[in-house]
Amino acid sequence: MRTVAKIVKWLLGLVVLAIAALFAWLYIAPPEMIRVGSGYSAKIVCSNVFIAGRDPNEVLAVDVQAPGHPLLRLMRISVDKNRGTVSAGLLGFLGKSLAVARDGLGCASVPDGDVGKARRTAIYAEPSAVSQDALWPEGERVEASQDPVIAKLLDDAALTGTGMRAVVVVKNGRVVAERYGAGFSAKTPLLGWSMTKTVNAAIIGTLVKDAKMAVDNKGLFAPWKADGRAAITLADMMAMSSGLEFNEDYGDVADVTRMLYLEPDMAGFAEAKPLTGEVGKAFSYSSGTAVMLSRLWQDAIGDKAKALTWPRTALFEPLGMHSAVLETDEQGTFVGSSYLYATAHDWARFGQFLLQGGVWNGNQVLPAGFVDWMREPAPASKVYGKGQLWIEAPGDEKNPGAGVAAGLPKDTTWMEGHDGQTVTIIPSEQLVVVRLGLTPAKLGYRPQTMAGALMTALK
């Protein structure tokens, strides 16, 4: 018996030692998957707390869990509202990551832990007064349609989709109907994910108008001038046909997740990617491309402080998008691929702006014809436009013409973002439909069904 007890005691000691060694390894050199998970957790919680004013534990339990990865269920967070920081880690201490809030620019991931450097990127601007009494889009007041058919459509959970947080319907330039999910309202800034790419393209349009950029520019980054990347034009990048390597798979530690959560200089990471295809000949959707576009337009402005205020002064304030917050990375480059927060009313303002061809209150904010160019099919794609707009709705990317076959007009275009964010723009019907929520793609939600039903009901 003594021998057996000794063996059991020895084995238990080995188990304890192995567990201790495992935790020591995870603490000292955590796998990248854990760091991506903690970086994602810290960033999502930080932005939702400091921009949207939401409860951090709710964000952790709902938003962070949305992708469904089992590691995310083990993430724990710590929020310091006085310092404007959020830390996250597996079980709270393994593979820890930080995110920090900055004045005017939301939150930034801090993969290298240099919070002081991230804090130095900030802008100071007095918040603009928002009229609650004037009708949208001049103010925030809405005179909703009394049509029971419209009400019934927006009360249909199958049409608005699981996880809906906001739906705003604009007809003939006025909000005629809206709905909000529990805990959300017209005042809640919501993340657009990749709808940010379209806004980023419009920002480039403001600089094209000022002759600071041109879509046929080549030799975009200094290292590119020495190899085949010198042939890449700004138009190639806008149309997602640069030929550059970039893995957009969100299910693992791919280029996109590495860029967003492990790299302090996102544009630098994407810029270093090699050519893997012929320039301008193959469509390849890339968030890295969108971040590089941000770097390019910021460099075109030249002055860093002016560049940081440019989205607000050149686009958001003229359109009355007072809630809009476009976030930067630690280096100060706007994350034009993913990180714009705005209320549903402000997302609707941007959709209406595109419907009106880049004109707002009689002012030609974008060059004449620029939005028409954005809508044109990209040379290498039948479903994507030349200017970071989708021609086909979510789920129809491999089925060109599906929207028209389903009854949507040929001039329908889409802003699309991760987890069910869409803005439907139909100029021929003077219709814009914003739909925001937390609806993973695996649920198969199709916003085109709601858009079609609303279009028919509002004729």
Side-chain angles (χ1 to χ4, degrees):
M1 286 295 294
R2 289 182 179 178
T3 302
V4 172
K6 286 182 178 180
I7 293 173
V8 170
K9 187 175 180 181
W10 180 72
L11 289 174
L12 287 173
L14 282 180
V15 169
V16 170
L17 185 62
I19 292 173
L22 174 63
F23 272 87
W25 170 63
L26 290 174
Y27 184 80
I28 296 169
E32 289 184 336
M33 177 61 83
I34 292 178
R35 291 184 58 220
V36 165
S38 64
Y40 169 77
S41 302
K43 172 65 180 60
I44 292 296
V45 171
C46 185
S47 296
N48 276 280
V49 168
F50 292 102
I51 298 176
R54 296 178 59 204
D55 177 75
N57 293 316
E58 178 196 9
V59 177
L60 178 66
V62 179
D63 298 55
V64 170
Q65 294 296 329
H69 196 287
L71 278 179
L72 296 176
R73 297 179 183 176
L74 300 175
M75 291 295 164
R76 302 293 182 266
I77 57 166
S78 176
V79 179
D80 187 333
K81 290 190 175 181
N82 292 324
R83 297 184 65 242
T85 59
V86 175
S87 65
L90 191 72
L91 303 177
F93 66 96
L94 298 175
K96 288 183 71 172
S97 292
L98 282 168
V100 59
R102 295 83 40 84
D103 287 336
L105 295 171
C107 290
S109 295
V110 191
D112 59 5
D114 193 345
V115 173
K117 182 177 182 179
R119 284 192 199 282
R120 289 194 289 273
T121 299
I123 57 176
Y124 303 93
E126 289 294 324
S128 300
V130 180
S131 172
Q132 300 298 322
D133 297 328
L135 275 174
W136 187 98
E138 294 77 20
E140 294 300 307
R141 184 165 62 88
V142 170
E143 290 183 352
S145 168
Q146 301 303 305
D147 188 337
V149 174
I150 303 298
K152 184 177 180 181
L153 290 175
L154 293 192
D155 289 336
D156 185 342
L159 283 180
T160 59
T162 302
M164 181 274 288
R165 291 180 170 178
V167 173
V168 174
V169 184
V170 180
K171 177 71 173 180
N172 296 324
R174 295 293 184 192
V175 173
V176 296
E178 57 186 348
R179 288 290 186 278
Y180 296 94
F184 298 89
S185 73
K187 296 182 179 181
T188 309
L190 294 166
L191 177 60
W193 283 114
S194 285
M195 296 201 302
T196 307
K197 292 178 172 71
T198 312
V199 178
N200 203 40
I203 293 171
I204 289 173
T206 66
L207 291 160
V208 170
K209 183 172 182 286
D210 285 357
K212 295 183 186 301
M213 301 184 80
V215 296
D216 58 356
N217 284 353
K218 293 183 179 180
L220 301 174
F221 294 98
W224 291 10
K225 296 176 182 179
D227 56 41
R229 295 174 297 179
I232 299 171
T233 65
L234 187 67
D236 291 326
M237 296 183 71
M238 297 274 276
M240 294 293 188
S241 57
S242 67
L244 293 170
E245 175 184 274
F246 199 83
N247 184 331
E248 191 76 12
D249 182 4
Y250 283 86
D252 205 339
V253 183
D255 289 335
V256 63
T257 49
R258 180 183 299 278
M259 179 186 77
L260 291 175
Y261 305 114
L262 300 181
E263 296 290 338
D265 180 4
M266 297 187 192
F269 170 75
E271 176 194 325
K273 290 293 180 180
L275 278 176
T276 56
E278 190 175 352
V279 176
K281 300 298 183 182
F283 174 77
S284 182
Y285 188 80
S286 163
S287 289
T289 292
V291 175
M292 285 189 286
L293 287 171
S294 291
R295 183 71 270 151
L296 288 169
W297 69 250
Q298 288 179 256
D299 287 346
I301 292 171
D303 181 84
K304 181 177 180 179
K306 186 177 180 181
L308 288 174
T309 61
W310 189 263
R312 186 172 300 278
T313 57
L315 193 65
F316 300 153
E317 290 300 324
L319 270 58
M321 295 175 62
H322 302 306
S323 74
V325 177
L326 183 57
E327 299 177 308
T328 75
D329 68 2
E330 183 183 320
Q331 291 288 112
T333 302
F334 283 106
V335 188
S337 64
S338 317
Y339 289 155
L340 176 63
Y341 280 79
T343 63
H345 277 189
D346 279 350
W347 282 110
R349 284 183 173 94
F350 186 78
Q352 183 66 24
F353 171 65
L354 293 184
L355 184 146
Q356 295 171 180
V359 176
W360 198 258
N361 290 333
N363 297 319
Q364 189 77 51
V365 180
L366 301 183
F370 189 81
V371 175
D372 289 335
W373 175 82
M374 289 173 66
R375 294 179 181 130
E376 291 176 11
S381 173
K382 294 180 180 179
V383 299
Y384 200 70
K386 290 181 177 178
Q388 310 270 288
L389 268 171
W390 288 93
I391 299 169
E392 295 293 343
D396 290 336
E397 295 86 356
K398 295 182 179 179
N399 188 19
V404 174
L408 292 173
K410 289 183 179 180
D411 64 346
T412 304
T413 51
W414 298 82
M415 295 168 61
E416 298 180 16
H418 184 59
D419 280 345
Q421 323 315 316
T422 55
V423 177
T424 316
I425 305 159
I426 312 178
S428 60
E429 296 289 336
Q430 288 295 299
L431 180 66
V432 173
V433 181
V434 174
R435 192 276 180 188
L436 302 165
L438 189 63
T439 311
K442 64 184 179 182
L443 298 178
Y445 173 64
R446 296 175 65 79
Q448 51 267 55
T449 305
M450 177 177 65
L454 286 166
M455 182 187 73
T456 300
L458 288 165
K459 280 187 178 292

Short mmCIF file of all heavy atoms in Angstrom, two decimals, residues 11 44 47 62 69 99 105 125-126 139 159 192 205 219 224 229 231 280 285 306 311 328 358 367 379 418 448:
data_model
loop_
_atom_site.label_atom_id
_atom_site.label_comp_id
_atom_site.label_asym_id
_atom_site.label_seq_id
_atom_site.Cartn_x
_atom_site.Cartn_y
_atom_site.Cartn_z
N LEU A 11 2.63 10.74 -9.03
CA LEU A 11 1.86 11.09 -10.23
C LEU A 11 1.12 12.42 -10.04
O LEU A 11 1.08 13.25 -10.95
CB LEU A 11 0.86 9.98 -10.57
CG LEU A 11 1.47 8.68 -11.11
CD1 LEU A 11 0.38 7.61 -11.26
CD2 LEU A 11 2.15 8.92 -12.45
N ILE A 44 -13.29 45.65 -28.09
CA ILE A 44 -14.74 45.73 -28.22
C ILE A 44 -15.36 46.32 -26.96
O ILE A 44 -16.26 47.17 -27.01
CB ILE A 44 -15.33 44.34 -28.52
CG1 ILE A 44 -14.92 43.88 -29.93
CG2 ILE A 44 -16.85 44.35 -28.41
CD1 ILE A 44 -15.43 44.74 -31.05
N SER A 47 -14.46 50.26 -26.65
CA SER A 47 -15.22 51.15 -27.53
C SER A 47 -16.67 51.25 -27.10
O SER A 47 -17.27 52.33 -27.12
CB SER A 47 -15.13 50.66 -28.97
OG SER A 47 -13.80 50.74 -29.45
N VAL A 62 -22.21 39.43 -24.32
CA VAL A 62 -22.98 39.36 -25.58
C VAL A 62 -22.09 39.61 -26.79
O VAL A 62 -21.90 38.73 -27.63
CB VAL A 62 -24.15 40.37 -25.54
CG1 VAL A 62 -24.94 40.30 -26.85
CG2 VAL A 62 -25.06 40.09 -24.36
N HIS A 69 -16.31 31.46 -30.50
CA HIS A 69 -15.09 30.70 -30.24
C HIS A 69 -15.02 30.38 -28.75
O HIS A 69 -15.22 31.25 -27.90
CB HIS A 69 -13.86 31.51 -30.65
CG HIS A 69 -12.63 30.69 -30.78
ND1 HIS A 69 -11.95 30.19 -29.68
CD2 HIS A 69 -11.95 30.24 -31.87
CE1 HIS A 69 -10.90 29.50 -30.09
NE2 HIS A 69 -10.88 29.51 -31.41
N ALA A 99 -6.54 48.00 -24.26
CA ALA A 99 -7.10 48.99 -25.17
C ALA A 99 -7.27 50.27 -24.37
O ALA A 99 -7.53 50.24 -23.16
CB ALA A 99 -8.44 48.53 -25.73
N LEU A 105 -11.24 60.14 -30.54
CA LEU A 105 -10.84 59.08 -31.47
C LEU A 105 -11.18 57.69 -30.96
O LEU A 105 -10.65 56.69 -31.46
CB LEU A 105 -9.33 59.18 -31.76
CG LEU A 105 -8.89 60.45 -32.50
CD1 LEU A 105 -7.37 60.53 -32.54
CD2 LEU A 105 -9.47 60.49 -33.90
N ALA A 125 -12.07 68.70 -29.66
CA ALA A 125 -13.06 69.49 -30.39
C ALA A 125 -14.33 69.60 -29.55
O ALA A 125 -14.77 68.61 -28.95
CB ALA A 125 -13.39 68.84 -31.73
N GLU A 126 -14.87 70.78 -29.52
CA GLU A 126 -16.12 70.98 -28.80
C GLU A 126 -17.23 70.22 -29.51
O GLU A 126 -17.35 70.30 -30.73
CB GLU A 126 -16.48 72.46 -28.74
CG GLU A 126 -15.60 73.29 -27.82
CD GLU A 126 -15.77 72.90 -26.36
OE1 GLU A 126 -16.91 72.58 -25.98
OE2 GLU A 126 -14.76 72.90 -25.63
N GLY A 139 -32.17 67.79 -37.97
CA GLY A 139 -32.14 67.50 -36.54
C GLY A 139 -32.43 66.04 -36.29
O GLY A 139 -32.24 65.19 -37.16
N LEU A 159 -38.08 39.58 -40.48
CA LEU A 159 -37.59 40.56 -41.45
C LEU A 159 -36.44 41.39 -40.90
O LEU A 159 -35.46 41.64 -41.59
CB LEU A 159 -38.73 41.50 -41.88
CG LEU A 159 -39.75 40.95 -42.88
CD1 LEU A 159 -40.79 42.02 -43.19
CD2 LEU A 159 -39.07 40.51 -44.17
N GLY A 192 -20.13 49.95 -37.26
CA GLY A 192 -20.49 49.56 -38.62
C GLY A 192 -19.61 48.49 -39.21
O GLY A 192 -19.87 47.99 -40.30
N GLY A 205 -12.60 60.71 -51.40
CA GLY A 205 -13.27 61.58 -52.37
C GLY A 205 -13.12 63.05 -52.03
O GLY A 205 -12.98 63.90 -52.93
N GLY A 219 2.84 53.99 -57.48
CA GLY A 219 4.00 54.12 -56.59
C GLY A 219 3.58 54.65 -55.24
O GLY A 219 4.17 55.58 -54.70
N TRP A 224 7.31 50.12 -52.34
CA TRP A 224 6.68 49.51 -53.52
C TRP A 224 7.34 49.94 -54.82
O TRP A 224 7.20 49.26 -55.85
CB TRP A 224 5.19 49.88 -53.57
CG TRP A 224 4.35 49.26 -52.50
CD1 TRP A 224 4.77 48.58 -51.40
CD2 TRP A 224 2.92 49.28 -52.44
NE1 TRP A 224 3.70 48.18 -50.65
CE2 TRP A 224 2.55 48.60 -51.26
CE3 TRP A 224 1.92 49.82 -53.25
CZ2 TRP A 224 1.21 48.43 -50.88
CZ3 TRP A 224 0.60 49.65 -52.88
CH2 TRP A 224 0.24 48.95 -51.71
N ARG A 229 4.90 46.06 -57.14
CA ARG A 229 3.84 46.80 -56.47
C ARG A 229 3.76 48.25 -56.92
O ARG A 229 2.77 48.95 -56.65
CB ARG A 229 4.03 46.72 -54.95
CG ARG A 229 3.88 45.30 -54.39
CD ARG A 229 4.21 45.23 -52.91
NE ARG A 229 5.61 45.57 -52.64
CZ ARG A 229 6.16 45.62 -51.44
NH1 ARG A 229 5.43 45.31 -50.37
NH2 ARG A 229 7.43 45.95 -51.28
N ALA A 231 3.12 49.22 -59.73
CA ALA A 231 2.04 49.34 -60.72
C ALA A 231 0.65 49.49 -60.09
O ALA A 231 -0.31 49.81 -60.78
CB ALA A 231 2.05 48.13 -61.64
N GLY A 280 -4.79 44.43 -60.59
CA GLY A 280 -5.99 44.85 -61.28
C GLY A 280 -6.79 43.73 -61.92
O GLY A 280 -7.84 43.99 -62.52
N TYR A 285 -11.00 40.62 -51.41
CA TYR A 285 -11.46 41.53 -50.35
C TYR A 285 -10.43 41.59 -49.24
O TYR A 285 -10.00 40.55 -48.72
CB TYR A 285 -12.80 41.01 -49.82
CG TYR A 285 -13.49 41.95 -48.87
CD1 TYR A 285 -14.21 43.04 -49.34
CD2 TYR A 285 -13.44 41.73 -47.49
CE1 TYR A 285 -14.86 43.89 -48.47
CE2 TYR A 285 -14.08 42.58 -46.61
CZ TYR A 285 -14.79 43.66 -47.11
OH TYR A 285 -15.43 44.51 -46.24
N LYS A 306 -3.91 67.87 -38.56
CA LYS A 306 -4.98 68.18 -39.50
C LYS A 306 -5.62 66.91 -40.04
O LYS A 306 -6.85 66.84 -40.20
CB LYS A 306 -4.45 69.03 -40.65
CG LYS A 306 -5.53 69.52 -41.61
CD LYS A 306 -4.94 70.43 -42.69
CE LYS A 306 -6.04 70.91 -43.64
NZ LYS A 306 -5.46 71.78 -44.71
N PRO A 311 -11.66 63.72 -41.03
CA PRO A 311 -12.97 63.08 -41.18
C PRO A 311 -14.09 63.92 -40.58
O PRO A 311 -15.19 64.00 -41.16
CB PRO A 311 -12.80 61.75 -40.42
CG PRO A 311 -11.34 61.46 -40.49
CD PRO A 311 -10.68 62.81 -40.38
N THR A 328 -8.54 55.16 -34.53
CA THR A 328 -7.21 54.91 -35.11
C THR A 328 -6.54 53.73 -34.42
O THR A 328 -6.98 53.27 -33.36
CB THR A 328 -6.28 56.13 -34.95
OG1 THR A 328 -5.83 56.22 -33.59
CG2 THR A 328 -6.96 57.43 -35.36
N GLY A 358 -23.29 62.53 -53.31
CA GLY A 358 -22.22 63.27 -52.65
C GLY A 358 -22.53 64.74 -52.44
O GLY A 358 -21.63 65.54 -52.17
N PRO A 367 -16.49 65.11 -55.33
CA PRO A 367 -16.46 65.57 -56.72
C PRO A 367 -17.69 65.10 -57.49
O PRO A 367 -18.20 63.99 -57.26
CB PRO A 367 -15.19 64.91 -57.27
CG PRO A 367 -14.36 64.57 -56.08
CD PRO A 367 -15.32 64.27 -54.98
N PRO A 379 -13.54 46.41 -62.13
CA PRO A 379 -13.12 45.65 -63.31
C PRO A 379 -12.94 44.16 -63.06
O PRO A 379 -13.17 43.35 -63.96
CB PRO A 379 -11.78 46.32 -63.69
CG PRO A 379 -11.88 47.70 -63.16
CD PRO A 379 -12.67 47.58 -61.88
N HIS A 418 -19.59 43.27 -40.94
CA HIS A 418 -19.58 42.05 -40.13
C HIS A 418 -20.78 42.00 -39.17
O HIS A 418 -21.23 43.04 -38.68
CB HIS A 418 -18.27 42.04 -39.35
CG HIS A 418 -18.01 40.85 -38.52
ND1 HIS A 418 -17.93 39.57 -39.02
CD2 HIS A 418 -17.76 40.73 -37.18
CE1 HIS A 418 -17.65 38.74 -38.05
NE2 HIS A 418 -17.56 39.40 -36.92
N GLN A 448 -32.02 41.96 -47.70
CA GLN A 448 -32.67 42.32 -48.94
C GLN A 448 -34.17 42.01 -48.93
O GLN A 448 -34.95 42.67 -49.61
CB GLN A 448 -31.99 41.65 -50.14
CG GLN A 448 -31.78 40.15 -50.05
CD GLN A 448 -30.44 39.78 -49.49
OE1 GLN A 448 -30.10 40.23 -48.39
NE2 GLN A 448 -29.67 38.97 -50.20
#
